[in-house]
């Protein structure tokens, strides 16, 4: 029996407040309104940002359903939707692409105005599509994927190849693309170049994969935890160093190691100190440094402007610089044609009701990415 046009009752992980545990609840998911799409989620990854509403690092309205890195199938569409249809395999987009705002129109922009950066938690008409125990439940980052069904706007969903394995390509919805794009799209790493990647978590590993795909000859991984080195080398780092093993500043260490030829550096830690270290470590005249890690909120940094005056380029990017709706289908095709391997990033696969265990693995630093199967 078709569910189109009717509310669907299903399981979702609901957060009732800051520092509260995830609670698996029965929720009601309303049918999509005009311009909206209801998706049956098949697999969703756990990203650190999903913990921000729990810890209070990100302002959200409660109760809320988080989750923003997923793959699923379109269950039904609202009036006027043309870019997806029921049965299509899709990836929800935490960074929408409306196609009309100034970022979307410019070939080099991707931070669409429809992104929910302030945590409004509602769709365009100002309401939510979820209810639980008679209360409205808020959306998160336009996606809310920790639910068997979710409703998103058409600008927040991309159709992908029907053959794509959801339990792997869900990572293309956030972590993988953020790192990989920083190298291939934002920095545009050139063949034969030397790259240095600060921070070897899942996003840093994805940066390394991007540098490798772009043909870099040397990729130096940098982390305070040497346990991260083996994985970094297996995804493409040619060598790894720990700043704690040196007394000299890390930019001098890198310059000596490479005969002063580091073309590209990436900050994938999210700390002010490493942002400056990464900037200082790229070549003074032709180097480019990309800030990938989200900076701590309301912090300013001071740096020597001579670092820029001499010729360095300092850039940042959200979601790797990709235009989500256009580029995600291409990244999925690249995955299917084995341009990169996502298995290296997926350390744990758990059933959806083990969401708490998934977060425990993240807090203990035991996982790179955990994927929940619905
Ligand atoms: N020097 C070198 N390495 C360090 C240092 C340091 N001073 N301090 C910590 N590290 C290492 C840690 O040992 C760890 O290995 C790594 O840095 C960080 O890795 P993880 O596993 O904590 O985190 P990731 O890779 O999953 O994500 C880190 C980011 C900073 C990229 C992430 O938090 C972030 O800011 N993402 C981008 C923001 C964004 O795009 N958000 C939108 C949707 S999520
Ligand atoms: Zn994320
Ligand atoms: Zn837009």
């Amino acid at each position: 029996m078709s569910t189109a046009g009717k509310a669907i009752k299903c399981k979702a992980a609901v957060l009732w407040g800051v520092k509260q545990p995830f609670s698996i609840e029965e929720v009601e998911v309303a049918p999509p309104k005009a311009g909206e799409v209801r998706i049956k989620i098949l697999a969703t990854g756990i990203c650190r940002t999903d913990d921000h509403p729990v810890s209070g690092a990100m302002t959200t309205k409660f109760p809320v359903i988080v989750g923003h890195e997923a793959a699923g199938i379109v269950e039904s569409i609202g009036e006027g939707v043309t870019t997806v249809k029921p049965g299509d395999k899709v990836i929800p987009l935490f960074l929408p692409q409306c196609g009309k705002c100034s970022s979307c129109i410019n070939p080099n922009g991707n931070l669409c105005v429809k992104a929910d950066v302030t945590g409004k938690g509602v769709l365009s008409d100002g309401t939510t599509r979820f209810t639980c125990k008679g209360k409205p439940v808020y959306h998160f980052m336009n996606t809310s994927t920790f639910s068997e069904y979710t409703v998103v706007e058409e600008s927040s969903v991309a159709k992908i190849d029907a053959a794509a394995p959801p339990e792997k390509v869900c990572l293309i919805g956030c972590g993988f693309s953020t790192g990989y794009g920083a190298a291939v799209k934002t920095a545009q790493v050139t063949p034969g170049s030397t790259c240095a990647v600060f921070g070897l978590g899942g996003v840093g590993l994805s940066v390394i994969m991007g540098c490798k795909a772009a043909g870099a000859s040397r990729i130096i991984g940098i982390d305070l935890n040497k346990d991260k080195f083996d994985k970094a080398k297996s995804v493409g780092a040619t060598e790894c160093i720990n700043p704690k093993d040196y007394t000299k500043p890390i930019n001098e260490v890198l310059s000596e190691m490479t005969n002063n030829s580091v073309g590209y550096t990436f900050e994938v830690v999210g700390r002010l100190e490493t942002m400056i270290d990464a900037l200082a470590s790229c070549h003074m005249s032709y180097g480019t440094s990309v800030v990938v890690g989200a900076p701590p909120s309301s912090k300013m940094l001071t740096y020597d402007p001579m670092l820029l005056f001499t010729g360095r380029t300092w850039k940042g990017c959200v979601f790797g610089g990709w235009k989500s709706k256009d580029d995600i289908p291409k990244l999925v095709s690249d995955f299917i044609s084995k341009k990169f391997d996502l298995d290296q990033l997926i350390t744990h696969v758990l059933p959806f009701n083990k969401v708490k265990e998934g977060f425990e693995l993240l807090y203990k630093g035991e996982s790179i990415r955990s994927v929940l199967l619905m």
Side-chain angles (χ1 to χ4, degrees):
M1 203 176 66
S2 169
T3 44
K6 299 173 194 150
I8 294 179
K9 284 189 176 150
C10 68
K11 276 193 297 177
V14 177
L15 269 176
W16 292 93
V18 177
K19 303 210 165 75
Q20 299 291 306
F22 284 97
S23 169
I24 303 281
E25 308 270 7
E26 186 180 83
V27 297
E28 206 164 278
V29 187
K33 293 189 182 178
E36 298 174 358
V37 178
R38 189 161 58 184
I39 304 169
K40 178 176 172 41
I41 299 294
L42 299 173
T44 181
I46 297 180
C47 171
R48 192 166 291 273
T49 304
D50 294 318
D51 179 57
H52 290 354
V54 186
S55 68
M58 194 170 177
T59 322
T60 355
K61 290 183 187 141
F62 292 101
V64 66
I65 296 171
V66 301
H68 62 281
E69 184 181 83
I73 302 261
V74 174
E75 174 271 338
S76 62
I77 54 173
E79 203 188 310
V81 170
T82 57
T83 57
V84 295
K85 58 180 190 311
D88 281 352
K89 200 171 270 183
V90 291
I91 287 184
L93 311 172
F94 77 84
L95 180 63
Q97 187 185 345
C98 76
K100 296 178 192 138
C101 73
S102 54
S103 291
C104 284
I105 290 170
N106 189 287
N108 300 317
N110 76 337
L111 190 51
C112 177
V113 287
K114 286 203 131 197
D116 186 7
V117 285
T118 54
K120 290 197 296 286
V122 288
L123 299 186
S124 279
D125 72 344
T127 64
T128 95
R129 299 292 165 270
F130 300 108
T131 35
C132 182
K133 297 176 178 162
K135 289 198 179 108
V137 179
Y138 289 99
H139 296 245
F140 177 71
M141 292 171 84
N142 299 302
T143 46
S144 292
T145 60
F146 289 180
S147 175
E148 290 174 317
Y149 287 86
T150 189
V151 177
V152 304
E153 293 183 18
E154 189 177 10
S155 55
S156 276
V157 57
K159 180 181 173 173
I160 59 167
D161 191 321
E167 71 284 5
K168 301 194 197 296
V169 298
C170 57
L171 267 56
I172 293 176
C174 182
F176 168 75
S177 305
T178 298
Y180 190 80
V184 306
K185 175 103 180 157
T186 303
Q188 305 206 350
V189 166
T190 49
S193 60
T194 295
C195 302
V197 181
F198 290 72
L200 304 175
V203 182
L205 295 175
S206 305
V207 172
I208 292 176
M209 291 183 191
C211 296
K212 186 178 172 188
S217 303
R218 273 182 93 174
I219 306 168
I220 305 170
I222 301 146
D223 202 296
L224 298 176
N225 180 354
K226 65 174 171 29
D227 295 343
K228 305 280 176 168
F229 292 175
D230 284 347
K231 194 47 137 327
K233 285 180 188 161
S234 76
V235 300
T238 51
E239 57 235 280
C240 287
I241 58 171
N242 185 342
K244 285 196 243 168
D245 293 340
Y246 302 88
T247 48
K248 278 187 192 164
I250 196 72
N251 60 306
E252 288 177 27
V253 175
L254 286 164
S255 173
E256 280 170 21
M257 274 174 82
T258 62
N259 195 21
N260 191 23
S261 66
V262 179
Y264 305 91
T265 63
F266 299 87
E267 201 282 350
V268 208
V269 181
R271 290 174 53 91
L272 302 181
E273 299 77 14
T274 36
M275 289 175 189
I276 302 289
D277 285 346
L279 175 65
S281 297
C282 71
H283 192 274
M284 66 184 293
S285 175
Y286 60 78
T288 294
S289 185
V290 183
V291 173
V292 186
S297 56
S298 353
K299 289 275 188 312
M300 296 291 159
L301 64 83
T302 354
Y303 63 95
D304 180 355
M306 194 56 88
L307 289 170
L308 297 179
F309 174 75
T310 53
R312 290 177 181 87
T313 302
W314 205 5
K315 297 181 137 185
C317 58
V318 174
F319 194 56
W322 300 112
K323 282 191 184 289
S324 58
K325 196 157 171 136
D326 292 346
D327 291 329
I328 279 189
K330 296 179 198 160
L331 286 165
V332 169
S333 302
D334 287 349
F335 169 74
I336 291 172
S337 59
K338 298 194 162 51
K339 251 188 153 175
F340 51 82
D341 174 20
L342 295 169
D343 287 338
Q344 304 254 33
L345 302 175
I346 302 168
T347 49
H348 301 79
V349 180
L350 303 164
F352 177 50
N353 57 14
K354 294 253 164 87
V355 57
K356 279 188 220 164
E357 284 87 335
F359 276 86
E360 286 305 320
L361 292 162
L362 175 86
Y363 302 145
K364 285 190 261 170
E366 284 175 17
S367 56
I368 295 174
R369 266 301 197 264
S370 295
V371 172
L372 305 172
L373 301 181
M374 312 312 262

